[in-house]
Amino acid sequence: FTAVLGSPGLYVILIVVYLATILISGFYPALVLSRAEVIHLIQGTVNPAGDKKMMLKIVSVFQISITILLLATLIGINAQTRYLKNLSPGYNPENIVLIHNLNEELVNHYPALRDRLLNIPGVENVAASGHYIGMGYSGQGIRLYGDSPSQSKTISEYRILPGLCNLYQFSLVSGRFFDPDREADRSGVLLNEAAVQMLEYTPEDIVGESLVMWEDPMDVIGVIKDFHYESAANAIEPLMFTAYSDRIRNIPVRMESQADIPATLDQINRTIKSFDQDYIMTQLYAADIYKEYYTDEDRLQKILAAGSILSIIIVIMGIYALASHNIMSRTKEIGIRKVMGGSTRKMMAMIYRSTLLW
């Protein structure tokens, strides 16, 4: 956004649009006035709108068409955004708080810290991860064991510790999750369905196969059902979970649905401080990460809503101008109809019928 505002091209475009708007808006009045004789201009007997109302009607129809387009787009975006926000991400982000900004003292004592956190009333599960689920990933290349390096395929990677998949409640298609009690699982890999499809396997057949990311083979121990780790407006790309890394950047804690959240967070903070008295806990929520996917759609909604309101106001003014012009041009007709017994209601219906038809 800052880069756009700092671009000289933006201001050139705005100036061009501004000048074009002035020229276009003044073209028709200048054309009409240029046809009139000077004496009539001085006397003020020239009707700037002309004797014909076609141009005024065309402008009004154009204004209404723009408003309808804006409103239809706004309704469509509202419906799509509401659908995306209500769409299940494929896991359960509710009641998960991520403790981050960890220091070396807490990372080194993670096993003991995890046990202490699990003893807090209201805490259901605790895990650790090198990546934030839904907030970026590492790009890697993998290939089937035995294939040449030229056959590597691009895949996204989440580095986690065993236990995280259970905490996030991912759905398992085949195989199993990482087991904290199996040291061999640290060299294993979990794939999503998109990755299995990319490798041209089935979820059942891929389990037990070996993949190569760098040099050592990694056994596939499970397949996770596809989930949205980016906006649901994007296609789900191939993804793998690995557990070889000991780096911990955040500690997700799932709280029970009936837990007193403020009280539980206070207990979590006290527990962490028992390992490092100077640590200041910072946290974010997994549900908020998922909602952040749609900030662009929310921003676009607000822009379109403001544009639609402004367009509606302009249309109302245009309809008022069209009706006023219609009345002024039919003053004699209205007078004769009134003399002949026409009611005000019938006069208004006649005027607005011909106006609103456009």
Side-chain angles (χ1 to χ4, degrees):
F1 184 72
T2 304
V4 173
L5 290 180
S7 173
L10 172 65
Y11 299 98
V12 173
I13 293 173
L14 291 177
I15 292 173
V16 171
V17 172
Y18 176 70
L19 294 176
T21 303
I22 294 176
L23 290 174
I24 293 173
S25 62
F27 175 76
Y28 181 70
L31 182 63
V32 172
L33 292 175
S34 65
R35 292 177 178 177
E37 297 180 5
V38 178
I39 187 63
H40 296 301
L41 288 174
I42 296 175
Q43 294 176 347
T45 57
V46 175
N47 182 3
D51 294 331
K52 298 182 180 179
K53 299 178 292 182
M54 184 55 65
M55 180 59 70
L56 187 57
K57 292 177 180 179
I58 291 175
V59 171
S60 298
V61 172
F62 181 67
Q63 290 175 341
I64 294 173
S65 299
I66 293 177
T67 302
I68 292 174
L69 177 62
L70 283 174
L71 290 175
T73 305
L74 180 61
I75 292 172
I77 291 178
N78 283 337
Q80 288 295 320
T81 304
R82 186 165 55 251
Y83 169 77
L84 292 174
K85 287 183 175 180
N86 293 330
L87 184 66
S88 172
Y91 60 93
N92 183 10
E94 300 300 327
N95 301 317
I96 297 179
V97 58
L98 281 71
I99 312 300
H100 60 102
N101 193 29
L102 305 174
N103 56 34
E104 187 176 353
E105 181 72 17
L106 297 177
V107 171
N108 291 337
H109 291 88
Y110 167 70
L113 175 59
R114 180 178 184 273
D115 292 338
R116 292 279 298 275
L117 291 174
L118 285 172
N119 289 327
I120 297 176
V123 172
E124 182 178 317
N125 202 347
V126 179
S129 177
H131 283 97
Y132 295 83
I133 304 300
M135 290 182 62
Y137 43 79
S138 296
Q140 303 292 353
I142 61 168
R143 65 183 188 274
L144 292 168
Y145 184 70
D147 289 349
S148 64
S150 62
Q151 293 177 287
S152 293
K153 299 181 179 180
T154 303
I155 192 171
S156 303
E157 178 196 17
Y158 275 141
R159 302 188 191 106
I160 65 173
L161 267 65
L164 187 83
C165 294
N166 300 90
L167 184 142
Y168 272 84
Q169 299 178 3
F170 293 120
S171 298
L172 199 61
V173 178
S174 66
R176 56 182 177 81
F177 293 137
F178 292 127
D179 189 340
D181 297 326
R182 297 190 185 188
E183 187 62 29
D185 282 4
R186 299 300 297 272
S187 60
V189 62
L190 296 171
L191 301 175
N192 70 348
E193 293 175 296
V196 174
Q197 185 178 4
M198 178 185 69
L199 295 171
E200 300 180 351
Y201 270 78
T202 64
E204 293 75 21
D205 294 337
I206 194 71
V207 175
E209 294 291 329
S210 296
L211 305 177
V212 177
M213 183 167 63
W214 292 314
E215 294 181 358
D216 297 329
M218 308 169 68
D219 293 333
V220 179
I221 64 174
V223 176
I224 295 175
K225 186 176 179 61
D226 282 341
F227 66 93
H228 297 286
Y229 56 96
E230 293 179 322
S231 169
N234 302 328
I236 298 176
E237 300 294 337
L239 174 73
M240 68 177 182
F241 288 91
T242 59
Y244 61 83
S245 176
D246 289 321
R247 184 182 182 186
I248 298 175
R249 296 180 62 192
N250 67 94
I251 299 177
V253 178
R254 176 176 288 281
M255 294 175 283
E256 297 174 355
S257 57
Q258 304 299 326
D260 184 342
I261 303 299
T264 304
L265 287 176
D266 182 65
Q267 287 294 320
I268 291 174
N269 185 35
R270 292 174 182 271
T271 301
I272 295 177
K273 282 187 174 293
S274 67
F275 287 85
D276 185 351
Q277 186 62 36
D278 296 328
Y279 177 75
I280 298 177
M281 188 177 77
T282 55
Q283 75 276 351
L284 55 89
Y285 296 90
D288 291 339
I289 294 176
Y290 183 69
K291 292 176 183 177
E292 284 293 323
Y293 293 165
Y294 308 108
T295 53
D296 290 340
E297 284 81 358
D298 290 335
R299 188 179 301 112
L300 183 58
Q301 276 181 305
K302 294 177 182 178
I303 294 174
L304 281 176
S308 298
I309 293 173
L310 180 60
S311 180
I312 290 172
I313 294 174
I314 294 175
V315 165
I316 292 174
M317 294 173 62
I319 293 175
Y320 176 78
L322 183 59
S324 300
H325 181 273
N326 202 0
I327 293 172
M328 293 296 295
S329 62
R330 301 174 68 175
T331 303
K332 294 181 179 179
E333 177 188 352
I334 294 173
I336 293 173
R337 288 178 179 272
K338 290 287 289 182
V339 171
M340 299 298 293
S343 64
T344 302
R345 180 179 298 178
K346 290 182 179 180
M347 296 300 101
M348 296 299 294
M350 178 188 67
I351 294 297
Y352 284 110
R353 188 185 305 115
S354 60
T355 302
L356 296 178
L357 176 63
W358 288 95

